[in-house]
Amino acid sequence: MTTQALKGRIALVTGGTTGLGFGAAQRLIDEGAFVYITGRRKDVLDAADERLGPSAQGIQADVTSKSDMQRVADTIKAEHGLLDILFANAGGGHATPLAELTEEQIDSELGINIKGVILTVQSLLGVLRDGAAITLNASITADMGLPGFAVYASTKAAVRSLARSWTTDLKDRRIRVNTISPGVVPTEGYSHEQKMSDADITAYAKRVAHEIPAGRVGTPQDIGDALVFLSSDTSRYITGIDLVVDGGMTRVYAGRN
Ligand SMILES: NC(=O)c1ccc[n+]([C@@H]2O[C@H](COP(=O)([O-])OP(=O)(O)OC[C@H]3O[C@@H](n4cnc5c(N)ncnc54)[C@H](OP(=O)(O)O)[C@@H]3O)[C@@H](O)[C@H]2O)c1
């Protein structure tokens, strides 16, 4: 059910071409927003743009490039003037034993997940409306030890820290900054980042569901619904928080479902 809570709002979702970003873009559109999405792969971007329909527009851009993100800001300014909602979602990483980590993987994950989030918010500052809502996509791994995920998890802890600092930096402009920490949500990232087959993903989702009080893994819509809440006036008195959207996985002992 939609309430058109975001009617007329202009939004940007980085990494909006697949997975959580695509699901978030769909939910923002359902609620009446016009949504810009970004991604690096042109064919994937065009396909997502087409599926989202007339209330979306794709801009090919890499979040780790200052000039790309400035171009995104310039495009939004020229076409719509101001931005109401920013979801800094682009990110990723994969499990690698500590001894096998390469410099390339470390640079890549720190680059996309930390530098990319900083460049995204910094580049869009001049376009964000006073009173806008910024949400950063973190992860439950920021609070957990998970085999092989030390670099990824530490980048997500950094994302949470960025949100707390920016909440104070941007308070005079009444810009709210929050993070969402998704739990386990199977997406395209599980196949192309984690190199899991469809059968692996299905088996993993079934196994991990036993550890989740909600009894199932998450969906992009679950994360999109949380984003709609944090982007709407309903959450006007909420800033600087981390909204954990994990079906209770990290806060509650599930026993066996
Ligand atoms: N799925 C989960 O279980 C889960 C849990 C916790 C947190 N998260 C977080 O949720 C976010 C989305 O993950 P996902 O699972 O939806 O993964 P996904 O399906 O792989 O989507 C990643 C998106 O980011 C884009 N992207 C990656 N690097 C980029 C870059 N340098 N510049 C611009 N766009 C870039 C990808 O497009 P291109 O590759 O074409 O650029 C794609 O649109 C990530 O920040 C991830 O850490 C996911």
Side-chain angles (χ1 to χ4, degrees):
M1 197 186 76
T2 70
T3 58
Q4 293 290 294
L6 304 176
K7 195 170 173 49
R9 308 275 168 99
I10 307 300
L12 168 64
V13 177
T14 64
T17 61
T18 63
L20 305 191
F22 184 82
Q26 274 183 319
R27 286 294 295 116
L28 295 174
I29 290 169
D30 287 348
E31 296 296 335
F34 182 91
V35 182
Y36 288 91
I37 57 168
T38 67
R40 295 164 302 180
R41 289 166 296 170
K42 181 84 170 82
D43 54 334
V44 180
L45 180 70
D46 290 346
D49 200 358
E50 175 84 24
R51 278 179 64 204
L52 288 170
S55 293
Q57 184 178 321
I59 307 176
Q60 188 179 17
D62 183 336
V63 289
T64 66
S65 159
K66 176 74 184 164
S67 60
D68 276 15
M69 294 318 294
Q70 193 53 55
R71 181 168 45 78
V72 171
D74 292 345
T75 304
I76 295 172
K77 190 170 187 170
E79 293 180 358
H80 280 102
L82 292 172
L83 188 65
D84 302 287
I85 296 163
L86 172 57
F87 186 34
N89 161 76
H94 61 272
T96 306
L98 177 57
E100 291 165 31
L101 264 177
T102 60
E103 270 193 75
E104 191 188 17
Q105 183 178 347
I106 298 167
D107 286 343
S108 168
E109 292 187 16
L110 266 58
I112 298 172
N113 297 349
I114 303 179
K115 178 184 167 188
V117 170
I118 297 171
L119 290 182
T120 296
V121 174
Q122 186 193 46
S123 305
L124 272 301
L125 268 186
V127 185
L128 281 162
R129 185 188 297 284
D130 287 357
I134 299 174
T135 305
L136 314 179
N137 204 349
S139 165
I140 55 168
T141 60
D143 275 340
M144 299 169 76
L146 211 60
F149 275 103
V151 175
Y152 174 78
S154 66
T155 65
K156 293 303 188 177
V159 167
R160 290 219 201 148
S161 176
L162 290 172
R164 285 190 288 263
S165 297
W166 290 337
T167 299
T168 59
D169 288 344
L170 301 176
K171 71 177 170 41
D172 292 344
R173 292 184 57 195
R174 296 176 292 101
I175 293 177
R176 298 183 295 113
V177 188
N178 295 294
T179 57
I180 288 176
S181 281
V184 175
V185 188
T187 61
E188 289 85 336
Y190 281 51
S191 10
H192 69 81
E193 292 263 3
Q194 315 296 337
K195 310 287 180 228
M196 292 168 80
S197 67
D198 287 351
D200 290 341
I201 295 170
T202 305
Y204 173 65
K206 201 171 165 189
R207 195 169 67 245
V208 81
H210 292 300
E211 295 162 23
I212 301 174
R216 62 170 176 84
V217 294
T219 64
Q221 176 158 5
D222 294 325
I223 310 307
D225 283 349
L227 178 69
V228 166
F229 169 65
L230 287 178
S231 303
S232 74
D233 299 338
T234 313
S235 61
R236 63 194 169 275
Y237 198 56
I238 296 176
T239 190
I241 69 154
D242 178 51
L243 181 53
V244 177
V245 188
D246 68 348
M249 184 180 181
T250 52
R251 300 297 189 271
V252 180
Y253 174 64
R256 275 195 78 79
N257 289 305

